[in-house]
Amino acid sequence: MEVLREKVEEEEEAEREEAAERAEWARTEKMMRPVEVRKEETTLTQETLRDLEKKLSEIQIPISAELPAFTKDTIDISKLPVSYKTNTPKEEHLLQVADNFSRQYSHLCPDRVPLFLHPLNECEVPKFVSTTLRPTLMPYPELYNWDSCAQFVSDFLTMVPLPDPLKPTIKSEEKVLPKKYTIRPPRDLCSRFEQEQEVKKQQEIRAQEKKQLREEEERLMEAEKAKPDALHGLRVHSWVLVLSGKREVPENFFIDAFTGHSYSTQDERFLGIESLWNHKNYWINMQDCWNCCKDLIFDLGDPVRWEYMLLGTDKSQLSLTEEDDSGINDDDDVENLGKEDEDKSFDMPHSWVEQIEISPEAFETRCPNGKKVIQYKRAKLEKWAPYLNSNGLVSRLTTYEDLECTNILEIKEWYQNREDMLELKHINKTTDLKTDYFKPGHPQALRVHSYKSMQPEMDRVIEFYEMARVDGLIKREETARTMTEYYQGRPDFLSYRHANFGPRVKKLALSSAESNPRPIVKITERFFRNSAKPAEEDVAERVFLLAEERIQLRYHCRDDHITASKREFLRRTEVDSKGNKIIMTPDMCISFEVEPMEHTKKLLYQYEAMMHLKREEKLSRHQVWESELEVLEILKLREEEEAAHTLTISIYDTKRNEKSKEYREAMERVMHEEHLRQMETQLDYLAPFLAQLPPGEKLTRWQAVRLKDECLSDFKQRLINKANLIQARFEKETQELQKKQQWYQENQVTLTPEDEDLYLSYCSQAMFRIRILEQRLNRHKELAPLKYLALEEKLYKDPRLGELQKIFA
Amino acid sequence: MNWLCDLMEPRVMDDDMLKLAVGEQGPQEEAGQLAKQEGIVFKDVLSLQLDFRNILRMDNLWQFENLRKLQLDNNIIEKIEGLENLTHLVWLDLSFNNIETIEGLDTLVNLEDLSLFNNRISKIDSLDALVKLQVLSLGNNQIDNMMNIIYLRRFKCLRTLSLSGNPISEAEDYKVFICAYLPDLVYLDFRRIDDHTKELAEAKHQYSIDELKHQENLMQVQLEDEQARQEELEKHKTAFVEHLNGSFLFDSMYAEDSEGNKLSYLPGVSELLEAYKDKFVIICVNIFEYGLKQQEKRKTELDTFSECVHEAIQENQEQGKHKIAQFEEKHLSSLSAIREELELPNIEKKILECSADISELFNELMMLEMQLVEQLEETINMFERNIVDMVGLFIKNVRSLMAQCRDLENHHHEKLLEISISTLEKIVKGDLDEDLPDDLRALFVDKDTIVNAVGASHDIHLLKIDNREGELVTRIDSWCTHLVDKIHKDEIVRNRKRVKEINQYIDHMQSELDNLEYGDILD
């Protein structure tokens, strides 16, 4: 019953988001008895009214006043706004209306559960439920549609089970409670089992064989089966009802806030609805819920089915057109509407809660502390916020063999933002087979890698992304003794290569740095049909039997044939009777040709073909070794990646991306400096002179001319001053030098070598200073007229001295 | 010394020279030994080099059927000849010779690279067959007319051209002209054409090029129209109703009928003729349309038949392939088992088993084939019956339509005769109002003459109609017979081939086994 209130904070968020979708909060319970539909209401006489009033005032409303077990320590009340702590007069009025409504209701329907109208908020202040809803549009596109929004809310909420109202001490039952919406009711399992049983009975032979198994199964089933629910039909729960109409919602449905799942209104796990509310009104269900919610009609405008609390706030009809119409009317007859409001209806006061704010961090973190664990039957799902785990793990699903969750069957781990593009890791604990799935973009184009051990030359399957590799490899399978590769889209039409390895020969000399590859016994290669060649020249399969020095060829089959040409080469190095080496003999090439040809009978042709194949054999052998090396490389790379597990950060992620942050800061710095420089260049020469004049007035021509002259003469003076200053310094330095020289000449004889050194170094320094001053003076003399002209030009162009131009115009 | 002598003496391309050249240029070392041992057949040679041999006349090349590359540069050849058989030739070098005209290249459809550098050629032509030509070297010749370039526009693959050292290369806008008229060219005189030159050329010659293009387009359109017409006619011919979609037959009736033409000047005859023609043409068009429809029907029938037969054969082949694959798998393992077996009696036993397997495979394959033959025979017979029926119906209907034509003709004849006789009567009475042409009046001498004239016209008309009908019937009959014959023959050929294939395979398998036996016994 208190589910709603105990987590007001979180639910408010949900409420307000959902309100945007004109969701209705529903409160339900199993209707124990059919509801009597009131009819006499309209025919109340004065007397009965008084009587009623009396009766009503006597009724003690069992408002859901029990304090929730959940502590409110976590909420700092002092920081909350005033609206949380007090009620406005309008709210007070509303509460009175609600109390009155509630009194009437409990009088008329004494058997029904008291209404959930104004629970206490975190500040112990009663607030009407509708005012706890505040429609808010959030800046996240994920929250725009109900499914992802519900998912977010469910992630955001933490389920805290209530103490059992019947047997508060028994904790085992409590644990069962939260599972109500997470597992399928065992009833379903039962019926299916019975069906199965029936089928099995018909198959007697099988039945006997499987009997033991089945008994075992039965036992397990029994163990799994939830104990009968003592609170069945007594539990009250809140969930979201979305009505059809707006935003292309085709039909009404429920959303369970804890799981974020949607349910049809026909779902039999929803036993009934007590009342509904949204941010505008509050309705009580007057329909019979004997058949769960299946027969409910969600036409809130029908006062017989849905008893509303406030009249006229929403004209009760919730269909889209109605609302639009009323919107238009609002504009037209504001006065009439106002009167009506005063007379009959009562406005729902504005929501007292603050607008919800979800920071991007909180949004990304989703769950409290970024972590959430959901326990399912025989399975556990863990969720983490992205970047929370340093290896990029975002969720893990562990499935168990038993109900106690001790024997792990398999583990699935999902990753995000991995630099090695790892997406999913699947570990099967029974076979010990690990399978890694990658997104496109791995440096080795990996797609799937399944293995039992990271040691080379073991059972392993590596799949690659199609078209990502230059050599067209799409799959490589390995066992201890074989390696099979599958190709696609190669220019040489190779489709398959299979290598058999022999046992490794032990090398005597361990000194050789090179690895000791396994000897290849046999290589089989298959090719796709190359339509550019005639079938009898297009090899379909070639087998290199390296140990026997035998090469077998099988050609493609011609379209209208059933047999294909074959050729077998046997390389025998023999010597004839005269001791000459036999190059080629007819028995070294045994061929079967579907259409015997002239030129293939030639020894030269066969010899050349054989030589070609020998070369190919070498290449293929090499290729196999290369592949082995590549596997080693991939394994090494994988190990490194696993060890490093670097995460990528999008360049748009300005918070995490250090580089972009630095860059942005640098850019900002540069911008700032640029700005300063610009300020400098825009030094206003005219400003001091303009300040003398009365502000805001347009300059007369005479004033402009004077201003210009003043400015120019001032500048001229500054230039002259500067020149004089340099000149003065120059003269001073020269004089000093001359004095020193004089002094030196006079005392030259008596000077110690140290003094002389001192004098000499002074001289060179002084000379340097004089030279620099001279240069600066010359430069100033050169530039001064130019600067003067530049200023003059600038002043002419200054818009404030526009009058000047007129003189010359 | 010898070489100098050669210079003096023009030589003949005889067998010895070719053999020598082939031997020198053929395989070397081990392969060479083999080649020598076996002898090289000219047919297998792919490339031949015959330069600096003072050859005067090209000869004896007909055996090199598969030659791809032929070098005859630096000789004294005066005429291109004897290359007709070398249809696979891709590369031909005839530079530094004394050739005056381009000729004898009409069969070299695969030629991509042709060098006629340093010859005495003055005109580019006779290269039409060289549709794949990419490189053409004509430098140091005597080409003096720029219009030769336009001839080269037809070679869509031509990318490299050299023409330096010709009189035209002296011309001022030589380069620009070529670039303009051959826009796809990449290299000219061994240099890449830069984009700037291309733009310049385009700008300079745009007008004339556009005009040329327009003309070429017109020609193309005309050609296509002509082709389309030809195709249409071909289509009508396959329906055996060509020229029946109009007044062609009617016109042909009067083409050789002088009397009929004369008589048309009689009063009232032209109207009669007009009505007659209209009706006649309608019937002709009926025949035409009916013919096309029937042709469509026959085609569908044939297509369906071919498709079904093809499918049946394919499926049968797949079954055969599968059987063979199964057999081979088993056979290979038993062969290796035999090789590993040490006991002689066991070997013999296994060989016998293998042999039995082979004959069983033979039986299975032959059974499959026999099955297919029977199935196909049935289908073919059914198709034959159907197509013959269709043709028969078509002929019957065409005959009845033709009979309508004849009726029209008879009717017209009667009318004409009536008018003629009444006119004669009028003439005899002398109260004929209208003037008649002289040659027509000459017919009205007496009744016999005029009746004969009208009759002759009638006979010609009937003959034409009979001929057309006869032609149609004969042609469709022979088409039908040929078709059926061909289907039967094809099936027989297919069957023979398959039986031969099976036998060949089985023989091979058996002999392989026998050889193994032999080898084992030897061991």
Side-chain angles (χ1 to χ4, degrees):
Chain A
M1 209 157 158
E2 270 73 35
V3 181
L4 181 75
R5 265 169 297 154
E6 58 181 32
K7 288 299 290 178
V8 173
E9 275 295 349
E10 283 88 353
E11 291 213 359
E12 273 167 8
E13 284 158 5
E15 286 161 27
R16 276 168 274 170
E17 285 149 17
E18 294 305 321
E21 302 208 343
R22 67 192 266 282
E24 314 292 324
W25 278 92
R27 183 159 170 267
T28 61
E29 76 181 277
K30 164 111 196 214
M31 303 280 227
M32 302 307 275
R33 256 161 262 172
V35 178
E36 296 162 46
V37 180
R38 295 178 301 165
K39 278 177 187 165
E40 64 282 286
E41 190 185 39
T42 45
T43 56
L44 286 176
T45 61
Q46 199 72 340
E47 240 177 283
T48 46
L49 258 181
R50 220 173 292 137
D51 201 37
L52 179 69
E53 205 180 324
K54 207 175 169 186
K55 271 187 188 167
L56 283 178
S57 54
E58 280 166 11
I59 294 170
Q60 285 291 315
I61 311 154
I63 300 176
S64 37
E66 310 146 40
L67 278 180
F70 192 74
T71 56
K72 288 174 181 134
D73 299 342
T74 46
I75 305 158
D76 185 5
I77 302 170
S78 61
K79 280 183 187 165
L80 292 170
V82 192
S83 65
Y84 281 63
K85 294 168 194 162
T86 55
N87 276 325
T88 59
K90 202 172 180 188
E91 280 178 294
E92 291 290 351
H93 186 193
L94 176 69
L95 288 176
Q96 280 169 21
V97 171
D99 278 341
N100 189 28
F101 182 73
S102 176
R103 247 178 256 129
Q104 290 184 29
Y105 172 76
S106 24
H107 172 69
L108 292 166
C109 312
D111 296 326
R112 283 182 66 171
V113 176
L115 292 174
F116 183 73
L117 281 170
H118 42 65
L120 300 178
N121 75 352
E122 53 267 57
C123 304
E124 311 278 330
V125 178
K127 292 283 183 184
F128 189 68
V129 281
S130 289
T131 59
T132 57
L133 295 173
R134 180 164 179 172
T136 312
L137 192 64
M138 299 305 294
Y140 307 105
E142 286 96 326
L143 297 184
Y144 189 67
N145 284 322
W146 74 265
D147 41 2
S148 45
C149 180
Q151 195 56 52
F152 173 73
V153 171
S154 74
D155 283 347
F156 218 91
L157 295 179
T158 312
M159 173 83 182
V160 179
L162 291 171
D164 193 315
L166 296 178
K167 293 170 240 164
T169 44
I170 296 169
K171 286 193 174 176
S172 62
E173 267 215 330
E174 273 181 53
K175 276 181 191 164
V176 183
L177 280 176
K179 280 189 178 177
K180 188 178 176 190
Y181 295 105
T182 51
I183 58 161
R184 293 183 66 87
R187 238 186 349 214
D188 284 24
L189 289 172
C190 252
S191 67
R192 210 181 290 161
F193 176 62
E194 275 165 15
Q195 279 176 8
E196 271 171 32
Q197 220 171 14
E198 272 183 35
V199 173
K200 275 174 191 168
K201 270 178 191 169
Q202 289 168 352
Q203 301 166 328
E204 279 179 40
I205 308 157
R206 274 196 196 175
Q208 265 194 338
E209 284 171 6
K210 288 193 176 175
K211 202 177 178 184
Q212 273 192 329
L213 249 171
R214 205 172 66 221
E215 270 167 13
E216 181 70 12
E217 226 170 86
E218 228 169 305
R219 199 181 57 76
L220 275 173
M221 270 307 179
E222 205 59 46
E224 277 173 35
K225 210 155 135 189
K227 283 172 186 131
D229 189 357
L231 284 172
H232 185 78
L234 293 173
R235 230 176 262 106
V236 180
H237 179 66
S238 291
W239 68 88
V240 180
L241 162 69
V242 179
L243 291 178
S244 64
K246 271 192 182 176
R247 294 269 304 272
E248 289 169 15
V249 177
E251 57 182 350
N252 307 332
F253 61 92
F254 296 145
I255 302 172
D256 177 52
F258 284 109
T259 56
H261 295 165
S262 73
Y263 299 91
S264 153
T265 54
Q266 310 284 314
D267 198 297
E268 56 186 24
R269 275 169 290 178
F270 292 88
L271 300 173
I273 294 176
E274 196 69 25
S275 58
L276 295 176
W277 67 89
N278 65 3
H279 61 291
K280 287 178 180 160
N281 210 344
Y282 190 98
W283 294 266
I284 299 165
N285 178 23
M286 303 309 284
Q287 296 169 77
D288 190 357
C289 291
W290 66 272
N291 194 10
C292 303
C293 296
K294 283 175 192 167
D295 298 334
L296 289 190
I297 292 163
F298 293 95
D299 178 11
L300 298 178
D302 185 348
V304 177
R305 293 198 170 94
W306 295 96
E307 181 72 44
Y308 52 86
M309 193 185 97
L310 296 180
L311 177 71
T313 42
D314 207 352
K315 298 286 176 226
S316 51
Q317 259 300 353
L318 278 170
S319 68
L320 198 109
T321 47
E322 269 306 291
E323 267 194 10
D324 283 354
D325 285 350
S326 71
I328 294 159
N329 287 340
D330 274 351
D331 294 335
D332 294 343
D333 331 299
V334 180
E335 284 170 36
N336 288 348
L337 209 84
K339 263 184 212 166
E340 218 177 53
D341 280 357
E342 271 173 43
D343 293 343
K344 293 178 183 172
S345 66
F346 178 78
D347 255 359
M348 185 61 74
H350 191 254
S351 175
W352 54 275
V353 292
E354 289 216 286
Q355 220 176 38
I356 189 165
E357 265 172 28
I358 306 173
S359 63
E361 288 87 357
F363 182 70
E364 200 188 69
T365 314
R366 291 186 84 97
C367 316
N369 298 323
K371 190 185 172 183
K372 185 157 186 161
V373 182
I374 304 170
Q375 187 76 46
Y376 291 94
K377 180 168 138 191
R378 283 183 182 155
K380 189 169 79 177
L381 178 67
E382 293 160 280
K383 288 185 188 176
W384 291 272
Y387 295 109
L388 189 73
N389 288 317
S390 61
N391 61 355
L393 185 65
V394 290
S395 62
R396 177 195 288 144
L397 175 68
T398 319
T399 43
Y400 300 93
E401 203 172 2
D402 52 345
L403 279 173
E404 289 77 37
C405 295
T406 47
N407 293 337
I408 298 174
L409 263 183
E410 56 175 33
I411 301 173
K412 276 184 176 180
E413 291 179 334
W414 284 268
Y415 294 85
Q416 243 174 44
N417 303 312
R418 292 269 300 208
E419 201 166 65
D420 58 1
M421 309 312 277
L422 181 69
E423 192 179 22
L424 167 64
K425 212 183 244 273
H426 186 168
I427 303 164
N428 190 331
K429 284 282 179 188
T430 45
T431 58
D432 213 26
L433 185 75
K434 304 180 187 80
T435 313
D436 295 352
Y437 296 85
F438 298 85
K439 279 195 255 188
H442 187 270
Q444 293 273 16
L446 291 183
R447 198 167 72 85
V448 182
H449 177 202
S450 56
Y451 54 97
K452 281 184 179 165
S453 136
M454 285 298 271
Q455 288 302 307
E457 293 166 24
M458 302 283 271
D459 285 3
R460 167 185 327 284
V461 179
I462 307 179
E463 284 176 47
F464 299 90
Y465 274 99
E466 247 174 81
M467 316 294 286
R469 284 178 62 108
V470 186
D471 61 359
L473 183 68
I474 47 172
K475 193 173 167 189
R476 179 182 287 137
E477 288 173 358
E478 273 187 287
T479 64
R481 281 292 176 83
T482 64
M483 175 159 76
T484 318
E485 293 173 311
Y486 300 85
Y487 295 90
Q488 205 162 46
R490 279 173 68 103
D492 62 357
F493 294 90
L494 180 71
S495 67
Y496 168 95
R497 181 185 285 130
H498 178 90
N500 289 55
F501 298 100
R504 183 171 267 129
V505 187
K506 269 189 190 161
K507 266 204 178 169
L508 296 171
L510 284 164
S511 57
S512 70
E514 272 181 39
S515 60
N516 181 12
R518 291 169 292 176
I520 303 167
V521 179
K522 180 179 163 190
I523 300 176
T524 310
E525 290 177 326
R526 288 188 194 138
F527 297 84
F528 291 119
R529 176 88 177 86
N530 176 3
S531 47
K533 280 184 187 175
E536 59 268 24
E537 285 173 31
D538 192 13
V539 178
E541 185 186 72
R542 62 185 186 198
V543 184
F544 298 111
L545 295 154
L546 287 97
E548 303 170 44
E549 283 211 81
R550 194 192 288 266
I551 301 169
Q552 292 167 338
L553 293 185
R554 189 169 54 80
Y555 291 85
H556 276 286
C557 191
R558 263 162 60 155
D559 281 347
D560 52 349
H561 280 70
I562 52 170
T563 56
S565 300
K566 280 188 287 190
R567 204 157 274 154
E568 185 165 351
F569 293 95
L570 244 171
R571 178 78 165 151
R572 286 198 195 114
T573 35
E574 282 173 16
V575 176
D576 69 3
S577 54
K578 289 172 194 164
N580 293 327
K581 196 177 145 201
I582 294 172
I583 303 162
M584 186 81 200
T585 50
D587 63 338
M588 279 158 79
C589 172
I590 302 157
S591 9
F592 164 68
E593 284 173 351
V594 177
E595 293 272 305
M597 282 177 290
E598 200 56 44
H599 71 281
T600 54
K601 286 208 180 70
K602 291 252 179 176
L603 277 180
L604 179 61
Y605 172 86
Q606 292 170 358
Y607 173 78
E608 278 176 347
M610 189 160 81
M611 286 299 118
H612 174 72
L613 283 169
K614 282 272 160 195
R615 283 195 296 276
E616 291 286 311
E617 180 185 297
K618 216 176 260 174
L619 284 179
S620 295
R621 212 159 51 187
H622 187 71
Q623 209 56 55
V624 171
W625 281 329
E626 291 266 289
S627 295
E628 280 190 283
L629 287 180
E630 197 192 87
V631 171
L632 288 180
E633 207 175 299
I634 289 174
L635 291 181
K636 203 174 136 214
L637 181 70
R638 281 299 302 137
E639 259 164 26
E640 279 169 13
E641 282 169 348
E642 279 300 324
H645 54 69
T646 343
L647 299 183
T648 56
I649 295 164
S650 158
I651 54 161
Y652 302 109
D653 193 339
T654 45
K655 288 220 176 55
R656 286 203 188 80
N657 199 324
E658 283 300 320
K659 236 181 183 170
S660 87
K661 200 171 166 185
E662 267 170 37
Y663 179 72
R664 202 180 63 242
E665 278 166 5
M667 283 298 285
E668 272 167 13
R669 221 163 32 238
V670 167
M671 288 281 281
H672 186 66
E673 279 163 16
E674 181 75 10
H675 185 68
L676 281 180
R677 224 179 6 258
Q678 265 184 7
M679 289 285 285
E680 221 166 296
T681 53
Q682 280 170 358
L683 260 183
D684 194 352
Y685 291 99
L686 277 176
F689 303 98
L690 275 170
Q692 296 167 9
L693 298 168
E697 279 176 42
K698 215 176 169 221
L699 293 170
T700 62
R701 190 186 303 172
W702 177 80
Q703 272 175 325
V705 173
R706 222 186 54 151
L707 207 62
K708 185 204 83 174
D709 288 347
E710 269 177 21
C711 185
L712 279 178
S713 66
D714 188 71
F715 186 63
K716 196 193 247 168
Q717 194 55 52
R718 284 231 313 273
L719 288 176
I720 292 165
N721 287 349
K722 196 177 175 188
N724 287 342
L725 196 70
I726 301 171
Q727 182 74 32
R729 280 184 191 158
F730 175 73
E731 276 164 13
K732 197 181 150 205
E733 281 289 341
T734 338
Q735 271 175 11
E736 245 170 65
L737 184 65
Q738 276 172 357
K739 268 186 198 165
K740 206 81 177 180
Q741 275 172 344
Q742 221 174 339
W743 170 80
Y744 174 72
Q745 272 165 7
E746 279 167 15
N747 303 310
Q748 198 176 8
V749 197
T750 57
L751 278 176
T752 58
E754 287 89 42
D755 285 340
E756 207 170 310
D757 279 353
L758 220 64
Y759 165 73
L760 282 174
S761 72
Y762 167 78
C763 273
S764 71
Q765 273 177 22
M767 284 302 284
F768 172 75
R769 279 199 295 273
I770 290 166
R771 210 166 47 242
I772 292 293
L773 283 167
E774 202 180 349
Q775 272 177 15
R776 278 170 73 182
L777 191 62
N778 285 338
R779 213 168 92 92
H780 184 68
K781 275 179 185 162
E782 243 171 64
L783 287 176
L786 295 175
K787 278 185 182 168
Y788 183 79
L789 288 174
L791 181 66
E792 198 176 4
E793 171 111 25
K794 207 173 162 188
L795 289 174
Y796 273 129
K797 283 177 185 162
D798 197 300
R800 288 168 300 185
L801 300 175
E803 292 295 323
L804 277 178
Q805 282 165 336
K806 285 183 188 162
I807 302 168
F808 297 101
Chain B
M1 240 2 242
N2 199 3
W3 190 75
L4 269 179
C5 278
D6 284 350
L7 249 184
M8 304 300 166
E9 200 94 1
R11 281 184 57 188
V12 188
M13 274 169 79
D14 51 16
D15 222 34
D16 293 340
M17 181 203 258
L18 292 171
K19 260 187 192 149
L20 198 66
V22 166
E24 275 170 9
Q25 293 159 27
Q28 303 299 317
E29 291 173 34
E30 290 191 345
Q33 283 182 39
L34 278 177
K36 214 182 254 174
Q37 200 177 310
E38 286 185 314
I40 299 172
V41 180
F42 286 170
K43 217 167 78 177
D44 299 339
V45 178
L46 295 179
S47 152
L48 186 60
Q49 191 178 353
L50 292 166
D51 50 353
F52 295 102
R53 278 176 168 78
N54 235 23
I55 296 165
L56 179 62
R57 193 160 174 268
M58 295 160 69
D59 206 353
N60 274 326
L61 283 169
W62 57 274
Q63 292 179 78
F64 293 89
E65 278 171 19
N66 287 309
L67 204 62
R68 302 284 144 94
K69 182 175 171 182
L70 176 60
Q71 282 170 277
L72 280 165
D73 53 300
N74 293 289
N75 287 297
I76 49 170
I77 297 165
E78 288 172 356
K79 190 173 187 287
I80 308 171
E81 59 191 331
L83 296 176
E84 294 78 12
N85 263 4
L86 281 55
T87 47
H88 290 102
L89 213 56
V90 174
W91 173 316
L92 176 61
D93 190 349
L94 284 165
S95 55
F96 297 94
N97 279 295
N98 299 330
I99 297 161
E100 285 179 4
T101 46
I102 303 173
E103 60 192 322
L105 302 173
D106 297 335
T107 53
L108 309 184
V109 286
N110 288 310
L111 203 62
E112 287 173 10
D113 189 323
L114 173 63
S115 177
L116 290 164
F117 195 83
N118 204 6
N119 278 289
R120 297 170 189 170
I121 296 160
S122 55
K123 189 167 185 282
I124 309 175
D125 65 352
S126 309
L127 292 170
D128 296 28
L130 282 51
V131 284
K132 292 184 184 170
L133 195 64
Q134 290 174 7
V135 181
L136 179 61
S137 172
L138 277 166
N140 281 2
N141 276 291
Q142 280 142 24
I143 299 160
D144 52 3
N145 192 344
M146 218 47 128
M147 289 306 122
N148 279 305
I149 304 303
I150 292 166
Y151 175 78
L152 294 176
R153 275 175 75 83
R154 71 195 62 195
F155 302 107
K156 300 294 173 212
C157 305
L158 188 65
R159 295 289 175 271
T160 307
L161 176 68
S162 75
L163 278 168
S164 61
N166 280 293
I168 52 164
S169 67
E170 317 265 300
E172 200 180 329
D173 66 341
Y174 157 76
K175 201 168 166 186
V176 174
F177 186 86
I178 290 177
C179 294
Y181 281 88
L182 303 171
D184 292 333
L185 209 61
V186 180
Y187 298 97
L188 175 63
D189 294 332
F190 313 110
R191 264 183 218 181
R192 199 185 160 89
I193 301 168
D194 55 82
D195 293 344
H196 175 68
T197 318
K198 270 189 186 169
E199 279 165 28
L200 203 75
E202 204 176 310
K204 195 173 175 193
H205 291 272
Q206 195 181 10
Y207 180 72
S208 46
I209 296 263
D210 282 352
E211 204 179 277
L212 197 68
K213 269 188 191 160
H214 180 66
Q215 274 176 12
E216 280 172 356
N217 280 345
L218 276 184
M219 295 263 281
Q220 188 65 31
V221 168
Q222 226 172 352
L223 204 71
E224 273 166 18
D225 281 355
E226 183 57 36
Q227 267 173 4
R229 242 198 325 273
Q230 210 61 42
E231 268 168 32
E232 192 71 12
L233 185 66
E234 249 351 276
K235 201 179 137 199
H236 297 167
K237 271 190 180 165
T238 50
F240 312 106
V241 290
E242 73 277 8
H243 299 314
L244 284 175
N245 54 340
S247 60
F248 183 84
L249 180 59
F250 188 83
D251 294 343
S252 79
M253 287 181 353
Y254 278 89
E256 292 161 29
D257 175 18
S258 53
E259 269 79 17
N261 284 324
K262 284 178 202 161
L263 288 166
S264 67
Y265 292 104
L266 281 176
V269 171
S270 66
E271 292 84 33
L272 194 69
L273 210 56
E274 201 69 25
Y276 170 41
K277 186 178 174 179
D278 286 350
K279 281 182 190 160
F280 194 89
V281 168
I282 286 170
I283 293 173
C284 281
V285 170
N286 271 344
I287 297 175
F288 175 76
E289 273 162 11
Y290 177 64
L292 286 190
K293 240 183 254 165
Q294 284 292 311
Q295 156 68 8
E296 201 56 44
K297 259 190 176 173
R298 288 194 297 268
K299 194 169 170 291
T300 334
E301 190 79 11
L302 183 59
D303 286 348
T304 323
F305 167 74
S306 314
E307 202 185 310
C308 291
V309 167
H310 181 74
E311 267 170 27
I313 292 174
Q314 282 297 320
E315 205 199 310
N316 188 277
Q317 267 173 216
E318 284 310 314
Q319 284 176 9
K321 274 183 201 169
H322 182 65
K323 286 226 153 63
I324 289 175
Q326 268 181 336
F327 162 78
E328 277 194 358
E329 202 177 312
K330 193 182 167 197
H331 188 67
L332 271 182
S333 61
S334 14
L335 276 191
S336 54
I338 293 172
R339 281 205 192 92
E340 276 159 28
E341 188 62 62
L342 297 170
E343 304 264 332
L344 201 64
N346 281 345
I347 293 176
E348 268 171 12
K349 198 178 134 206
K350 280 190 173 160
I351 285 175
L352 274 179
E353 272 173 25
C354 260
S355 195
D357 282 348
I358 293 172
S359 52
E360 196 194 323
L361 176 74
F362 176 76
N363 286 339
E364 277 177 356
L365 291 178
M366 286 310 271
M367 179 119 103
L368 264 180
E369 175 56 19
M370 284 320 294
Q371 221 175 337
L372 184 67
V373 167
E374 261 169 44
Q375 286 166 338
L376 287 183
E377 198 178 285
E378 202 175 313
T379 318
I380 290 170
N381 285 339
M382 197 161 76
F383 173 73
E384 188 181 342
R385 268 200 306 280
N386 287 344
I387 200 85
V388 166
D389 284 356
M390 276 170 108
V391 167
L393 185 72
F394 178 61
I395 291 175
K396 195 181 130 204
N397 285 329
V398 167
R399 274 193 202 281
S400 84
L401 282 166
M402 283 293 189
Q404 284 181 29
C405 285
R406 257 181 234 112
D407 287 350
L408 277 180
E409 172 58 29
N410 289 337
H411 180 71
H412 176 73
H413 171 67
E414 275 166 27
K415 284 267 166 115
L416 188 65
L417 201 62
E418 226 169 77
I419 292 172
S420 300
I421 287 168
S422 71
T423 313
L424 183 70
E425 277 167 8
K426 274 184 193 167
I427 290 173
V428 170
K429 282 180 190 162
D431 53 358
L432 188 76
D433 308 330
E434 297 105 290
D435 276 342
L436 290 178
D438 288 345
D439 50 353
L440 179 59
R441 193 169 270 276
L443 289 176
F444 292 94
V445 210
D446 51 33
K447 198 179 172 182
D448 280 352
T449 320
I450 188 66
V451 168
N452 280 344
V454 173
S457 166
H458 181 53
D459 286 348
I460 287 176
H461 296 172
L462 284 181
L463 187 68
K464 284 278 171 191
I465 293 171
D466 286 350
N467 280 352
R468 186 67 188 86
E469 186 184 323
E471 190 201 333
L472 189 147
V473 170
T474 332
R475 264 172 53 204
I476 194 168
D477 268 336
S478 83
W479 170 81
C480 186
T481 331
H482 273 119
L483 178 71
V484 171
D485 277 358
K486 190 173 174 301
I487 287 168
H488 280 296
K489 223 176 264 171
D490 283 354
E491 166 53 16
I492 290 167
V493 169
R494 189 203 63 76
N495 168 250
R496 295 274 152 81
K497 259 173 87 179
R498 179 57 37 85
V499 171
K500 189 179 149 209
E501 191 189 345
I502 293 167
N503 274 314
Q504 211 173 321
Y505 183 75
I506 295 299
D507 287 352
H508 174 77
M509 281 299 157
Q510 195 62 52
S511 74
E512 206 179 54
L513 192 67
D514 292 347
N515 279 342
L516 189 78
E517 223 171 327
Y518 177 67
D520 277 335
I521 289 161
L522 262 191
D523 287 346

